[in-house]
PDB file of all heavy atoms in Angstrom:
ATOM      1  N   GLU A 165     -16.524   2.819  18.608  1.00 98.00           N
ATOM      2  CA  GLU A 165     -17.049   1.570  18.017  1.00 98.00           C
ATOM      3  C   GLU A 165     -17.109   1.641  16.522  1.00 98.00           C
ATOM      4  O   GLU A 165     -16.802   0.667  15.844  1.00 98.00           O
ATOM      5  CB  GLU A 165     -18.493   1.286  18.582  1.00 98.00           C
ATOM      6  CG  GLU A 165     -18.492   0.686  19.994  1.00 98.00           C
ATOM      7  CD  GLU A 165     -19.889   0.448  20.490  1.00 98.00           C
ATOM      8  OE1 GLU A 165     -20.786   0.126  19.676  1.00 98.00           O
ATOM      9  OE2 GLU A 165     -20.061   0.557  21.655  1.00 98.00           O
ATOM     10  N   LEU A 166     -17.463   2.808  16.001  1.00 98.00           N
ATOM     11  CA  LEU A 166     -17.551   2.924  14.544  1.00 98.00           C
ATOM     12  C   LEU A 166     -16.145   2.948  13.925  1.00 98.00           C
ATOM     13  O   LEU A 166     -15.940   2.411  12.830  1.00 98.00           O
ATOM     14  CB  LEU A 166     -18.288   4.212  14.146  1.00 98.00           C
ATOM     15  CG  LEU A 166     -18.616   4.344  12.681  1.00 98.00           C
ATOM     16  CD1 LEU A 166     -19.417   3.193  12.120  1.00 98.00           C
ATOM     17  CD2 LEU A 166     -19.388   5.665  12.443  1.00 98.00           C
ATOM     18  N   MET A 167     -15.168   3.542  14.653  1.00 98.00           N
ATOM     19  CA  MET A 167     -13.816   3.557  14.208  1.00 98.00           C
ATOM     20  C   MET A 167     -13.279   2.073  14.103  1.00 98.00           C
ATOM     21  O   MET A 167     -12.631   1.708  13.125  1.00 98.00           O
ATOM     22  CB  MET A 167     -12.988   4.371  15.148  1.00 98.00           C
ATOM     23  CG  MET A 167     -11.586   4.576  14.700  1.00 98.00           C
ATOM     24  SD  MET A 167     -10.425   3.454  15.305  1.00 98.00           S
ATOM     25  CE  MET A 167      -8.887   3.990  14.611  1.00 98.00           C
ATOM     26  N   ILE A 168     -13.642   1.272  15.103  1.00 98.00           N
ATOM     27  CA  ILE A 168     -13.236  -0.131  15.099  1.00 98.00           C
ATOM     28  C   ILE A 168     -13.878  -0.874  13.964  1.00 98.00           C
ATOM     29  O   ILE A 168     -13.242  -1.736  13.260  1.00 98.00           O
ATOM     30  CB  ILE A 168     -13.425  -0.783  16.459  1.00 98.00           C
ATOM     31  CG1 ILE A 168     -12.515  -0.136  17.470  1.00 98.00           C
ATOM     32  CG2 ILE A 168     -13.331  -2.287  16.401  1.00 98.00           C
ATOM     33  CD1 ILE A 168     -12.804  -0.464  18.918  1.00 98.00           C
ATOM     34  N   GLU A 169     -15.128  -0.595  13.709  1.00 98.00           N
ATOM     35  CA  GLU A 169     -15.820  -1.209  12.570  1.00 98.00           C
ATOM     36  C   GLU A 169     -15.162  -0.918  11.245  1.00 98.00           C
ATOM     37  O   GLU A 169     -14.962  -1.739  10.392  1.00 98.00           O
ATOM     38  CB  GLU A 169     -17.312  -0.767  12.564  1.00 98.00           C
ATOM     39  CG  GLU A 169     -18.143  -1.451  11.456  1.00 98.00           C
ATOM     40  CD  GLU A 169     -19.584  -0.843  11.447  1.00 98.00           C
ATOM     41  OE1 GLU A 169     -20.093  -0.379  12.413  1.00 98.00           O
ATOM     42  OE2 GLU A 169     -20.162  -0.900  10.329  1.00 98.00           O
ATOM     43  N   PHE A 170     -14.848   0.411  11.036  1.00 98.00           N
ATOM     44  CA  PHE A 170     -14.091   0.813   9.880  1.00 98.00           C
ATOM     45  C   PHE A 170     -12.787   0.044   9.724  1.00 98.00           C
ATOM     46  O   PHE A 170     -12.450  -0.457   8.667  1.00 98.00           O
ATOM     47  CB  PHE A 170     -13.773   2.349   9.905  1.00 98.00           C
ATOM     48  CG  PHE A 170     -12.749   2.789   8.886  1.00 98.00           C
ATOM     49  CD1 PHE A 170     -13.161   3.141   7.640  1.00 98.00           C
ATOM     50  CD2 PHE A 170     -11.413   2.813   9.209  1.00 98.00           C
ATOM     51  CE1 PHE A 170     -12.225   3.522   6.644  1.00 98.00           C
ATOM     52  CE2 PHE A 170     -10.475   3.158   8.277  1.00 98.00           C
ATOM     53  CZ  PHE A 170     -10.872   3.509   7.001  1.00 98.00           C
ATOM     54  N   CYS A 171     -12.049  -0.077  10.794  1.00 98.00           N
ATOM     55  CA  CYS A 171     -10.755  -0.809  10.813  1.00 98.00           C
ATOM     56  C   CYS A 171     -10.917  -2.277  10.408  1.00 98.00           C
ATOM     57  O   CYS A 171     -10.109  -2.791   9.706  1.00 98.00           O
ATOM     58  CB  CYS A 171     -10.022  -0.655  12.147  1.00 98.00           C
ATOM     59  SG  CYS A 171      -9.405   0.951  12.486  1.00 98.00           S
ATOM     60  N   GLU A 172     -11.970  -2.862  10.907  1.00 98.00           N
ATOM     61  CA  GLU A 172     -12.281  -4.230  10.542  1.00 98.00           C
ATOM     62  C   GLU A 172     -12.578  -4.362   9.041  1.00 98.00           C
ATOM     63  O   GLU A 172     -12.060  -5.257   8.356  1.00 98.00           O
ATOM     64  CB  GLU A 172     -13.418  -4.799  11.336  1.00 98.00           C
ATOM     65  CG  GLU A 172     -12.967  -5.190  12.789  1.00 98.00           C
ATOM     66  CD  GLU A 172     -14.150  -5.506  13.689  1.00 98.00           C
ATOM     67  OE1 GLU A 172     -15.309  -5.390  13.304  1.00 98.00           O
ATOM     68  OE2 GLU A 172     -13.884  -5.827  14.903  1.00 98.00           O
ATOM     69  N   ASP A 173     -13.387  -3.434   8.547  1.00 98.00           N
ATOM     70  CA  ASP A 173     -13.767  -3.476   7.116  1.00 98.00           C
ATOM     71  C   ASP A 173     -12.577  -3.260   6.187  1.00 98.00           C
ATOM     72  O   ASP A 173     -12.458  -3.845   5.119  1.00 98.00           O
ATOM     73  CB  ASP A 173     -14.819  -2.375   6.832  1.00 98.00           C
ATOM     74  CG  ASP A 173     -16.154  -2.690   7.492  1.00 98.00           C
ATOM     75  OD1 ASP A 173     -16.410  -3.900   7.831  1.00 98.00           O
ATOM     76  OD2 ASP A 173     -16.984  -1.787   7.631  1.00 98.00           O
ATOM     77  N   PHE A 174     -11.689  -2.282   6.611  1.00 98.00           N
ATOM     78  CA  PHE A 174     -10.583  -1.901   5.718  1.00 98.00           C
ATOM     79  C   PHE A 174      -9.228  -2.495   6.174  1.00 98.00           C
ATOM     80  O   PHE A 174      -8.175  -2.200   5.585  1.00 98.00           O
ATOM     81  CB  PHE A 174     -10.474  -0.380   5.653  1.00 98.00           C
ATOM     82  CG  PHE A 174     -11.545   0.216   4.742  1.00 98.00           C
ATOM     83  CD1 PHE A 174     -12.777   0.532   5.203  1.00 98.00           C
ATOM     84  CD2 PHE A 174     -11.313   0.409   3.358  1.00 98.00           C
ATOM     85  CE1 PHE A 174     -13.784   1.118   4.372  1.00 98.00           C
ATOM     86  CE2 PHE A 174     -12.235   1.005   2.491  1.00 98.00           C
ATOM     87  CZ  PHE A 174     -13.489   1.333   3.012  1.00 98.00           C
ATOM     88  N   GLU A 175      -9.302  -3.376   7.163  1.00 97.00           N
ATOM     89  CA  GLU A 175      -8.111  -4.149   7.605  1.00 97.00           C
ATOM     90  C   GLU A 175      -7.006  -3.158   8.125  1.00 97.00           C
ATOM     91  O   GLU A 175      -5.812  -3.269   7.662  1.00 97.00           O
ATOM     92  CB  GLU A 175      -7.582  -5.039   6.508  1.00 97.00           C
ATOM     93  CG  GLU A 175      -8.608  -6.101   6.178  1.00 97.00           C
ATOM     94  CD  GLU A 175      -8.119  -7.136   5.133  1.00 97.00           C
ATOM     95  OE1 GLU A 175      -7.019  -6.884   4.581  1.00 97.00           O
ATOM     96  OE2 GLU A 175      -8.879  -8.083   4.893  1.00 97.00           O
ATOM     97  N   PHE A 176      -7.368  -2.270   8.985  1.00 98.00           N
ATOM     98  CA  PHE A 176      -6.433  -1.433   9.711  1.00 98.00           C
ATOM     99  C   PHE A 176      -6.439  -1.892  11.188  1.00 98.00           C
ATOM    100  O   PHE A 176      -7.394  -2.303  11.737  1.00 98.00           O
ATOM    101  CB  PHE A 176      -6.779   0.027   9.668  1.00 98.00           C
ATOM    102  CG  PHE A 176      -6.560   0.671   8.367  1.00 98.00           C
ATOM    103  CD1 PHE A 176      -7.528   0.812   7.365  1.00 98.00           C
ATOM    104  CD2 PHE A 176      -5.265   1.187   8.069  1.00 98.00           C
ATOM    105  CE1 PHE A 176      -7.282   1.484   6.171  1.00 98.00           C
ATOM    106  CE2 PHE A 176      -5.012   1.867   6.842  1.00 98.00           C
ATOM    107  CZ  PHE A 176      -6.025   1.954   5.928  1.00 98.00           C
ATOM    108  N   THR A 177      -5.271  -1.705  11.842  1.00 98.00           N
ATOM    109  CA  THR A 177      -5.131  -1.932  13.283  1.00 98.00           C
ATOM    110  C   THR A 177      -5.443  -0.534  13.963  1.00 98.00           C
ATOM    111  O   THR A 177      -4.756   0.420  13.641  1.00 98.00           O
ATOM    112  CB  THR A 177      -3.711  -2.382  13.662  1.00 98.00           C
ATOM    113  OG1 THR A 177      -3.505  -3.604  12.984  1.00 98.00           O
ATOM    114  CG2 THR A 177      -3.630  -2.568  15.157  1.00 98.00           C
ATOM    115  N   PRO A 178      -6.451  -0.522  14.845  1.00 98.00           N
ATOM    116  CA  PRO A 178      -6.740   0.790  15.436  1.00 98.00           C
ATOM    117  C   PRO A 178      -5.706   1.229  16.519  1.00 98.00           C
ATOM    118  O   PRO A 178      -5.301   0.418  17.306  1.00 98.00           O
ATOM    119  CB  PRO A 178      -8.168   0.573  16.101  1.00 98.00           C
ATOM    120  CG  PRO A 178      -8.281  -0.894  16.214  1.00 98.00           C
ATOM    121  CD  PRO A 178      -7.398  -1.588  15.204  1.00 98.00           C
ATOM    122  N   VAL A 179      -5.396   2.519  16.515  1.00 98.00           N
ATOM    123  CA  VAL A 179      -4.541   3.068  17.534  1.00 98.00           C
ATOM    124  C   VAL A 179      -5.363   4.246  18.092  1.00 98.00           C
ATOM    125  O   VAL A 179      -5.501   5.265  17.442  1.00 98.00           O
ATOM    126  CB  VAL A 179      -3.189   3.622  16.989  1.00 98.00           C
ATOM    127  CG1 VAL A 179      -2.377   4.178  18.165  1.00 98.00           C
ATOM    128  CG2 VAL A 179      -2.449   2.489  16.242  1.00 98.00           C
ATOM    129  N   ILE A 180      -5.996   4.059  19.270  1.00 98.00           N
ATOM    130  CA  ILE A 180      -7.030   4.943  19.759  1.00 98.00           C
ATOM    131  C   ILE A 180      -6.499   5.655  21.034  1.00 98.00           C
ATOM    132  O   ILE A 180      -5.936   5.028  21.930  1.00 98.00           O
ATOM    133  CB  ILE A 180      -8.349   4.129  20.090  1.00 98.00           C
ATOM    134  CG1 ILE A 180      -8.830   3.474  18.810  1.00 98.00           C
ATOM    135  CG2 ILE A 180      -9.372   5.020  20.720  1.00 98.00           C
ATOM    136  CD1 ILE A 180      -9.934   2.483  19.035  1.00 98.00           C
ATOM    137  N   PHE A 181      -6.773   6.978  21.073  1.00 98.00           N
ATOM    138  CA  PHE A 181      -6.404   7.777  22.202  1.00 98.00           C
ATOM    139  C   PHE A 181      -7.259   8.975  22.309  1.00 98.00           C
ATOM    140  O   PHE A 181      -8.169   9.180  21.478  1.00 98.00           O
ATOM    141  CB  PHE A 181      -4.918   8.171  22.095  1.00 98.00           C
ATOM    142  CG  PHE A 181      -4.590   8.908  20.751  1.00 98.00           C
ATOM    143  CD1 PHE A 181      -4.555  10.309  20.722  1.00 98.00           C
ATOM    144  CD2 PHE A 181      -4.377   8.178  19.562  1.00 98.00           C
ATOM    145  CE1 PHE A 181      -4.287  10.995  19.535  1.00 98.00           C
ATOM    146  CE2 PHE A 181      -4.121   8.889  18.409  1.00 98.00           C
ATOM    147  CZ  PHE A 181      -4.061  10.278  18.398  1.00 98.00           C
ATOM    148  N   GLU A 182      -7.031   9.839  23.307  1.00 98.00           N
ATOM    149  CA  GLU A 182      -7.730  11.090  23.419  1.00 98.00           C
ATOM    150  C   GLU A 182      -6.702  12.254  23.375  1.00 98.00           C
ATOM    151  O   GLU A 182      -5.619  12.116  23.969  1.00 98.00           O
ATOM    152  CB  GLU A 182      -8.525  11.212  24.752  1.00 98.00           C
ATOM    153  CG  GLU A 182      -9.752  10.315  24.698  1.00 98.00           C
ATOM    154  CD  GLU A 182     -10.604  10.480  25.987  1.00 98.00           C
ATOM    155  OE1 GLU A 182     -10.019  10.718  27.035  1.00 98.00           O
ATOM    156  OE2 GLU A 182     -11.826  10.306  25.863  1.00 98.00           O
ATOM    157  N   ALA A 183      -7.082  13.279  22.683  1.00 98.00           N
ATOM    158  CA  ALA A 183      -6.124  14.509  22.587  1.00 98.00           C
ATOM    159  C   ALA A 183      -6.927  15.730  22.963  1.00 98.00           C
ATOM    160  O   ALA A 183      -8.137  15.821  22.647  1.00 98.00           O
ATOM    161  CB  ALA A 183      -5.604  14.608  21.164  1.00 98.00           C
ATOM    162  N   PHE A 184      -6.244  16.620  23.661  1.00 97.00           N
ATOM    163  CA  PHE A 184      -6.935  17.756  24.286  1.00 97.00           C
ATOM    164  C   PHE A 184      -6.296  19.065  23.868  1.00 97.00           C
ATOM    165  O   PHE A 184      -5.092  19.121  23.534  1.00 97.00           O
ATOM    166  CB  PHE A 184      -6.911  17.672  25.840  1.00 97.00           C
ATOM    167  CG  PHE A 184      -7.677  16.481  26.331  1.00 97.00           C
ATOM    168  CD1 PHE A 184      -7.052  15.219  26.488  1.00 97.00           C
ATOM    169  CD2 PHE A 184      -8.996  16.592  26.769  1.00 97.00           C
ATOM    170  CE1 PHE A 184      -7.773  14.138  26.947  1.00 97.00           C
ATOM    171  CE2 PHE A 184      -9.698  15.497  27.252  1.00 97.00           C
ATOM    172  CZ  PHE A 184      -9.125  14.276  27.346  1.00 97.00           C
ATOM    173  N   GLN A 185      -7.077  20.128  23.991  1.00 93.00           N
ATOM    174  CA  GLN A 185      -6.500  21.468  23.876  1.00 93.00           C
ATOM    175  C   GLN A 185      -7.038  22.296  24.980  1.00 93.00           C
ATOM    176  O   GLN A 185      -8.103  21.937  25.542  1.00 93.00           O
ATOM    177  CB  GLN A 185      -6.866  22.102  22.505  1.00 93.00           C
ATOM    178  CG  GLN A 185      -8.361  22.329  22.325  1.00 93.00           C
ATOM    179  CD  GLN A 185      -8.785  22.769  20.978  1.00 93.00           C
ATOM    180  OE1 GLN A 185      -9.636  22.139  20.374  1.00 93.00           O
ATOM    181  NE2 GLN A 185      -8.238  23.831  20.510  1.00 93.00           N
ATOM    182  N   THR A 186      -6.381  23.340  25.325  1.00 92.00           N
ATOM    183  CA  THR A 186      -6.823  24.244  26.382  1.00 92.00           C
ATOM    184  C   THR A 186      -7.704  25.320  25.822  1.00 92.00           C
ATOM    185  O   THR A 186      -7.232  26.081  24.971  1.00 92.00           O
ATOM    186  CB  THR A 186      -5.682  24.789  27.167  1.00 92.00           C
ATOM    187  OG1 THR A 186      -4.868  23.756  27.703  1.00 92.00           O
ATOM    188  CG2 THR A 186      -6.110  25.701  28.349  1.00 92.00           C
ATOM    189  N   VAL A 187      -8.964  25.353  26.286  1.00 88.00           N
ATOM    190  CA  VAL A 187      -9.916  26.370  25.852  1.00 88.00           C
ATOM    191  C   VAL A 187     -10.410  27.117  27.079  1.00 88.00           C
ATOM    192  O   VAL A 187     -11.045  26.511  27.956  1.00 88.00           O
ATOM    193  CB  VAL A 187     -11.094  25.740  25.081  1.00 88.00           C
ATOM    194  CG1 VAL A 187     -12.076  26.875  24.584  1.00 88.00           C
ATOM    195  CG2 VAL A 187     -10.604  24.884  23.924  1.00 88.00           C
ATOM    196  N   ASN A 188     -10.097  28.402  27.159  1.00 90.00           N
ATOM    197  CA  ASN A 188     -10.463  29.180  28.383  1.00 90.00           C
ATOM    198  C   ASN A 188     -10.132  28.498  29.643  1.00 90.00           C
ATOM    199  O   ASN A 188     -10.909  28.373  30.572  1.00 90.00           O
ATOM    200  CB  ASN A 188     -12.004  29.466  28.352  1.00 90.00           C
ATOM    201  CG  ASN A 188     -12.390  30.334  27.151  1.00 90.00           C
ATOM    202  OD1 ASN A 188     -11.580  31.114  26.572  1.00 90.00           O
ATOM    203  ND2 ASN A 188     -13.557  30.091  26.572  1.00 90.00           N
TER     204      ASN A 188
END
Side-chain angles (χ1 to χ4, degrees):
E165 281 179 33
L166 189 56
M167 189 264 178
I168 290 168
E169 185 185 330
F170 166 87
C171 288
E172 285 170 356
D173 291 341
F174 282 90
E175 297 182 353
F176 283 97
T177 302
V179 183
I180 298 172
F181 56 98
E182 286 183 331
F184 296 85
Q185 65 188 123
T186 300
V187 182
N188 300 328

